[in-house]
């Protein structure tokens, strides 16, 4: 169990892209003579977006047990590009509508250096198909018909939402209700993109307010499901006087927080401890002056702090990590 935990923990360290946080307001439109945006619920409206994510992550981690100890330094950087389609599939007399969010494809490049050893891969994925290249050579592929190739399958498990419609209900004020049948897909996309909070379309515009706050609950960090959540990340929103620009920022500092945590690949329960851990998010969004459609969103997220994992099987073991993760997200309307 310990060896499996250490193997999974190293993979978790390598793929810990929890610094990425996405906020989406794809269907927002302004109503005449109103001080706030409302959602356009007209049927058959479709928007296409390109999402570019760049990130860096540096970590020093020490793993130890009664039998051995190990120290490693790692740096990871890369970029991911996703294409998303958002469409209104049904309208119920302008009271609410059913919308479909679908991520059509993902491509990216990830470079890493672990204890002085460099490595780089390129990944391409569409629905049920993952390709991984190194130096222009295919090194791993996964398709349901082709069987399991471990490296590609690890990514496939995280990208099951690609090509699938994530159905939700949306109300004119922006409130979103996730449909139960799509909850797992939504959670998978949320894991890759970060913590969008209570709904896939994040921002709800309070009536008559140009400044307001929103609370983002944190129930998951990377691959770790938390039994209890820390205090929420409070985001402050400021809508410009011309209603075409929105700025937002938030800052959460956790001097010390601990919770029981689980990882999907492991049966063992863990204790996760955050020490002097800081999360920051800031950015802006711009809307078209005529219709109010979201045209671009640009923001940054950072996570800096100490993480300790403790577990118990036949023996005690622990992993201590110092993490400095930065990411930048640009969300652009392409048609």
């Amino acid at each position: 169990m310990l060896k499996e935990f250490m193997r999974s923990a190293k993979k978790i360290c390598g793929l810990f892209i929890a610094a990425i946080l996405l906020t989406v307001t794809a269907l927002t439109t302004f109503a005449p003579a109103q001080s706030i945006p409302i959602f356009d619920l007209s049927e058959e409206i479709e928007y296409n977006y390109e999402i570019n994510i760049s990130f860096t992550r540096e970590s020093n981690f020490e793993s130890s047990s009664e039998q051995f100890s190990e120290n490693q330094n790692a740096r990871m950087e890369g970029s991911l590009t996703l294409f998303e389609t958002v469409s209104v599939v049904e309208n119920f007399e302008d009271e609410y509508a059913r919308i479909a969010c679908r991520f059509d494809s993902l491509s990216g490049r990830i470079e890493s250096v672990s204890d002085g050893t460099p490595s780089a891969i390129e990944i391409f994925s569409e629905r049920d198909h993952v390709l991984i290249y190194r130096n222009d050579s295919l090194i791993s592929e996964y398709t349901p018909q082709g069987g399991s190739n471990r490296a590609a399958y690890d990514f496939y498990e995280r990208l099951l939402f690609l090509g699938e419609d994530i159905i939700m209900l949306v109300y004119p004020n922006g409130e979103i209700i996730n449909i139960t049948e799509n909850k797992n897909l939504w959670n998978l996309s949320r894991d890759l993109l970060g913590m969008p909070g209570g709904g896939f379309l994040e921002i709800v515009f309070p009536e008559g307010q140009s400044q307001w706050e929103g609370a983002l609950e944190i129930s998951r960090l990377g691959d770790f499901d938390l039994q209890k959540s820390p205090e929420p990340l409070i985001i402050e929103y400021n809508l410009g006087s011309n209603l075409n620009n929105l700025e937002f920022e938030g800052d959460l500092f956790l001097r010390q927080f601990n919770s029981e945590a689980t990882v999907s690949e492991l049966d063992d329960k863990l204790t996760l401890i955050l020490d002097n851990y800081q999360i920051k998010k800031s950015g802006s969004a711009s809307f078209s002056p005529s219709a109010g459609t979201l045209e671009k969103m640009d923001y940054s997220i950072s996570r800096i702090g100490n993480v300790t994992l403790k577990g118990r099987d036949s023996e005690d073991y622990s992993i201590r990590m110092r993490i400095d993760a930065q990411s930048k997200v640009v969300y652009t309307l392409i048609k």
Side-chain angles (χ1 to χ4, degrees), residues 14-27:
L15 296 176
F16 200 98
I17 313 177
I20 300 169
L21 180 65
L22 182 61
T23 302
V24 186
T25 49
L27 300 177

Side-chain angles (χ1 to χ4, degrees), residues 28-72:
T28 303
T29 185
F30 297 139
Q34 278 199 221
S35 60
I36 60 168
I38 65 169
F39 279 79
D40 185 349
L41 304 180
S42 303
E43 288 188 43
E44 299 182 1
I45 288 182
E46 182 175 286
Y47 299 95
N48 299 101
Y49 288 89
E50 179 178 340
I51 308 164
N52 290 299
I53 305 168
S54 58
F55 57 89
T56 61
R57 180 182 177 278
E58 295 187 33
S59 61
N60 300 310
F61 64 95
E62 172 188 347
S63 56
S64 62
S65 70
E66 294 178 359
Q67 297 179 353
F68 69 93
S69 63
E70 183 180 16
N71 295 289
Q72 285 195 15

Side-chain angles (χ1 to χ4, degrees), residues 192-209:
L192 178 68
L193 301 173
M195 305 176 299
F200 203 90
L201 302 177
E202 171 69 28
I203 299 172
V204 177
F205 293 86
E207 186 172 358
Q209 297 184 40

Side-chain angles (χ1 to χ4, degrees), residues 37-324:
I38 65 169
F39 279 79
D40 185 349
L41 304 180
S42 303
E43 288 188 43
E44 299 182 1
I45 288 182
E46 182 175 286
Y47 299 95
N48 299 101
Y49 288 89
E50 179 178 340
I51 308 164
N52 290 299
I53 305 168
S54 58
F55 57 89
T56 61
R57 180 182 177 278
E58 295 187 33
S59 61
N60 300 310
F61 64 95
E62 172 188 347
S63 56
S64 62
S65 70
E66 294 178 359
Q67 297 179 353
F68 69 93
S69 63
E70 183 180 16
N71 295 289
Q72 285 195 15
N73 301 310
R75 175 180 173 83
M76 181 175 65
E77 63 182 35
S79 61
L80 301 174
T81 299
L82 298 97
F83 290 92
E84 182 192 20
T85 301
V86 180
S87 56
V88 180
V89 294
E90 270 187 295
N91 177 276
F92 298 92
E93 298 181 352
D94 292 328
E95 294 183 5
Y96 64 93
R98 293 175 70 245
I99 64 170
C101 300
R102 185 182 69 247
F103 292 93
D104 299 299
S105 64
L106 176 145
S107 62
R109 179 177 175 84
I110 301 174
E111 300 178 0
S112 64
V113 178
S114 179
D115 280 348
T117 303
S119 178
I121 62 170
E122 292 181 325
I123 176 173
F124 302 91
S125 182
E126 295 178 332
R127 181 177 181 178
D128 293 337
H129 194 191
V130 179
L131 299 167
I132 299 178
Y133 291 84
R134 178 179 291 131
N135 298 327
D136 297 324
S137 298
L138 181 65
I139 61 170
S140 185
E141 181 177 9
Y142 174 82
T143 64
Q145 297 77 22
S148 175
N149 184 298
R150 188 69 222 179
Y153 185 73
D154 285 343
F155 279 98
Y156 169 73
E157 286 184 312
R158 300 165 184 268
L159 300 175
L160 287 171
F161 61 88
L162 284 180
E164 302 285 350
D165 285 344
I166 303 174
I167 304 297
M168 300 184 182
L169 301 183
V170 56
Y171 291 84
N173 69 346
E175 182 181 358
I176 302 298
I177 297 179
N178 297 305
I179 306 301
T180 303
E181 66 186 82
N182 300 112
K183 189 172 181 62
N184 289 337
L185 294 177
W186 177 75
N187 285 338
L188 284 171
S189 63
R190 187 174 100 160
D191 290 345
L192 178 68
L193 301 173
M195 305 176 299
F200 203 90
L201 302 177
E202 171 69 28
I203 299 172
V204 177
F205 293 86
E207 186 172 358
Q209 297 184 40
S210 60
Q211 296 180 331
W212 66 93
E213 292 183 348
L216 295 181
E217 296 292 338
I218 302 171
S219 59
R220 186 176 176 89
L221 286 173
D223 284 332
F224 307 108
D225 288 307
L226 305 179
Q227 189 177 66
K228 67 176 183 179
S229 297
E231 58 189 277
L233 173 63
I234 304 298
I235 304 294
E236 296 183 359
Y237 298 96
N238 186 0
L239 190 61
S241 58
N242 60 0
L243 301 182
N244 294 330
N245 294 286
L246 177 72
E247 295 183 350
F248 49 88
E249 63 178 352
D251 187 346
L252 173 63
F253 181 75
L254 301 172
R255 188 168 300 281
Q256 189 169 67
F257 167 81
N258 66 79
S259 172
E260 294 296 315
T262 57
V263 179
S264 59
E265 296 184 3
L266 302 175
D267 295 328
D268 204 16
K269 288 187 176 180
L270 310 170
T271 298
L272 183 143
I273 301 171
L274 302 178
D275 177 45
N276 291 329
Y277 195 85
Q278 187 174 45
I279 304 172
K280 288 185 176 182
K281 175 187 175 184
S282 62
S284 62
S286 59
F287 304 87
S288 63
S290 57
T293 302
L294 175 70
E295 293 185 330
K296 187 173 183 179
M297 184 175 289
D298 186 330
Y299 58 91
S300 300
I301 307 100
S302 69
R303 295 172 182 263
I304 302 175
N306 302 308
V307 179
T308 301
L309 293 172
K310 294 184 178 181
R312 177 179 294 276
D313 186 34
S314 58
E315 56 184 329
D316 293 328
Y317 49 88
S318 66
I319 296 178
R320 296 180 177 85
M321 296 180 283
R322 171 69 182 176
I323 294 174
D324 184 345

